[in-house]
Amino acid sequence: MKKFFRQLSTSPFFELCFRLYIKNYKKITIITTAFLLGIILLLGWMSARSLRKVVVEDFNQQQLLMARHAASQIEDSLNHLKREMSLLGMSPSLQYSELIWMEARMKITFSSVKEKGVLDVRFINERNARTYVVNGQGYRSVAMSPEDEKYLDWARREDNQGKILLSDIRSRHSGSNNKKLILEIVTPVWQVSVDETHPVAQNKFSGALMFPVDATILTGKVLKAIQSGRTGYAWVIDRNGNFLYHFVRDFIGENAFEVRKRKAPEISFDKINEIQQEAMLKGKDGASWYISGWHRDRKGEIKKLIAYAPVRPSNEAENHIWSVAVVAPISEVEGAIWNIQIRQFLLQGVGILAIISGGLFIVGLMLRWSVSLKSEVENTTKELRKSESLYRSLIENAEDIIFTVDRQGRLLSMNEYGYYFLNKNQEDIIGLNITEVFQDEEAGSLVKTIERVFETNISKNLINRVRVNGSEYLLNTNLSGLLDGNGHVISVLGISRDITESKKIEEHMYHTEKLASLGTMSAGVAHEINNPLAIILGFTEMLIEKMPPDSESHEILKTMERQGLKAKRIVENLLSFARFGEPKVQDVNINEDIEAILAVEGNTLLLNNITVEKNMEESLPFVKGDPCEIQQIFFNIINNAISAMKEGGVLKIATRSAEDGGRNVEISISDTGIGIKREYRAKIFDPFFTTKSDGTGLGLTITYALAIKYGGLIAFETKTKEESEETGTTFIVTLPAVKAGNSQ
């Protein structure tokens, strides 16, 4: 090798090349330096462009998540108003125009919805062509307006029964310059309920119920808290392109296509107009950019990033009424990396000059440049992630389960509240199929809905049940697709809200109104039956005395007497359900009442091979009530428990002070029976519902009514053999405590 280089250095060709270099070294150095400088600058420009594109796309995706979540919150508010309207429409006081009770019922509803922007609660009465109004100024009756007549005509149509109408936004002026944007929610009211004066539903049209809602207040409660980046904000338009909420207050109520042009006629708004026309007003979601003429206090041409999502108050994809947008100047994103690019180019130039000065100096300078660039990138990354931290704060602090899944239904991520709700750690959940996390027989419908979102990229909403640590919960889940750069769904975002308690409240109100109506009807029915029944039994007794004891006629009459007495017992139950008599209210010792019931049921428990386990809290507070009626509550539950354990078992009874500072007393009665089938669980408190061949179906109805009568609650938990190896039912009765007492 040495011989080869020696020969090469002494060759004529090498000597010629060396002389040419010495002669033209300046040109060669300049050309080489320029070439290297061009390569470095080109690579730097390509790197900066790629970095800028990635950062901008990531920022806009974060804005899209914020827009979707804001739209979901607005949808929840609208659905809340629709539920309250439906509950109010079921009240007999409105259906039969019972003016004495109608005012109180409308005031209760107004107090629960006014925070959502509801201006007043209106009932348009078909009978007298009057409109009854409840708002912050009180209750009044006014003549029906043309607008009221229009909605009354819509509600009168039979095919609209049970529907809820959401009107277009219209302006209402109050004061000199005060303009409100009103959304009117309307539903028909039909006579389908019963009360004391109307024991039988008439199924006639009564009128229309209307909520005028200030759309600016409704949407502003959600959007005013949103800030994207340092100065970004959110706005919303209706399906006609009018602003319902905007950071610039003068824009509210104006048409989005027109007001921008009036404010900055020199700017072309074709891009944002196209986004609104072709995407937002058609109910689509996505992200893009446009040119604006201002941003907060800045004026001139400003390029903005925008992400938008539709507001749909129901599951139908086409039922899009508004669109939420989150916007921020792109300069906030690009500006964060611009200083780095300038420094990068300067350092590259210094690097080229350093090449001329010497290799060692170049190496040292490049090392310093690398360290500086790394530090700047880290600082810039922190700045860019400030907006991400806002998004993460929104996600992690939300009291909703927020998760993402892939096409196969595998869980990709979940927020902290989700781990808390499911009582699991991250490593126990991530990677599992959604059916393994939300364990219930309805989990399959959740997977199918996720598949439809992947196929159609249309957000879906459903109510699904989940089982966590043996307890059943009801979730309202919204599913929407997350897109890649090509517009394809790469994962599905799910937001699940626990609505178990709200459903229980709805069921409680439903049972309470049903019991009130049925109690009135039962009193009338029992009274009408009792008189002829007494006559029948009296004459039967007289005939029995006249017939020989061994005759066939005597046996027939005895059978008639037994059946008549059974009917009398049922009538007495109806009367006790309709009016429990004059209660002797006093301080009741729950422990002593339960001991008395167990003493009565002692032989029955022994014959059925049932063991009793008691865990009674000493010094249990007293409750206020009639001792006989309080005993009736527990007597009915214990009898049902005995019936459920036909082959023997364990009856567990526990009393304790509730974990609420001693304001309530809790009594739990558990059996190891067969449990209550899923299809029966919603009906067990309904009057006349029974699975026993000799039952009347009034036991648990009376138990429920008595618990409510004394300000208490009753709930139950049950498991059948299909759900658990350990079957049985536990009833939990909660009654208000009046003072601390000694149960000894």
Side-chain angles (χ1 to χ4, degrees), residues 126 354 371 392 485 496:
E126 166 82 352
V371 173
R392 291 189 179 276
S496 297

Side-chain angles (χ1 to χ4, degrees), residues 457-470:
N457 190 24
I458 296 175
S459 298
K460 301 288 184 181
N461 186 275
L462 74 161
I463 295 177
N464 57 299
R465 299 179 185 274
V466 298
R467 186 171 293 278
V468 179
N469 296 331

Side-chain angles (χ1 to χ4, degrees), residues 151 165-170 182-186 239 322:
Y151 288 127
L165 172 68
L166 276 69
S167 72
D168 285 336
I169 299 297
R170 64 184 184 90
I182 305 301
L183 166 70
E184 290 169 331
I185 307 176
V186 184
R239 55 188 167 204
W322 303 333

Side-chain angles (χ1 to χ4, degrees), residues 403-412 432-438 442-462 464 477-482 489-496:
F403 60 90
T404 56
V405 293
D406 61 13
R407 184 177 289 273
Q408 286 71 40
R410 291 190 296 265
L411 201 65
L412 302 177
L432 294 179
N433 192 278
I434 196 72
T435 57
E436 300 178 78
V437 178
F438 291 163
E442 298 181 4
S445 63
L446 181 61
V447 174
K448 291 180 180 178
T449 306
I450 291 172
E451 292 174 353
R452 287 198 294 271
V453 174
F454 269 103
E455 294 170 358
T456 63
N457 190 24
I458 296 175
S459 298
K460 301 288 184 181
N461 186 275
L462 74 161
N464 57 299
T477 301
N478 180 270
L479 300 169
S480 55
L482 300 179
V489 179
I490 57 174
S491 60
V492 167
L493 172 70
I495 302 175
S496 297

Side-chain angles (χ1 to χ4, degrees), residues 3 33 56 88 195 203 220 259 261 264 310 378 450 460 511 518 531 546 557 563 584 619 628 659:
K3 182 178 180 181
T33 302
V56 169
L88 179 58
D195 65 1
N203 292 311
V259 69
K261 198 63 180 176
E378 290 176 352
I450 291 172
K460 301 288 184 181
H511 281 298
L518 190 62
N531 291 334
K546 294 180 180 181
L557 290 171
Q563 296 302 318
K584 300 177 181 178
S619 302
C628 294
E659 296 178 357

Side-chain angles (χ1 to χ4, degrees), residues 520-571:
T520 304
M521 183 187 72
S522 298
V525 173
H527 178 73
E528 294 298 326
I529 293 176
N530 207 27
N531 291 334
L533 188 60
I535 295 172
I536 292 170
L537 286 172
F539 279 110
T540 302
E541 185 177 357
M542 291 173 59
L543 291 172
I544 289 174
E545 293 175 355
K546 294 180 180 181
M547 294 295 173
D550 298 331
S551 66
E552 182 180 354
S553 298
H554 185 275
E555 289 301 319
I556 292 173
L557 290 171
K558 291 296 288 184
T559 301
M560 291 174 59
E561 183 182 43
R562 285 195 300 272
Q563 296 302 318
L565 290 173
K566 181 178 180 181
K568 182 180 179 181
R569 187 174 70 255
I570 294 174
V571 170

Side-chain angles (χ1 to χ4, degrees), residues 59 68 110 160 183 195 203 221 246 262 282 323 329 399 415 426 513-514 590:
F59 184 85
R68 287 172 173 168
F110 178 70
N160 288 329
L183 166 70
D195 65 1
N203 292 311
K221 285 183 176 293
H246 198 283
R262 289 202 303 268
K282 292 184 178 180
S323 187
E399 292 189 357
N415 66 340
Q426 180 178 357
E513 292 195 2
K514 180 186 289 186
I590 295 296

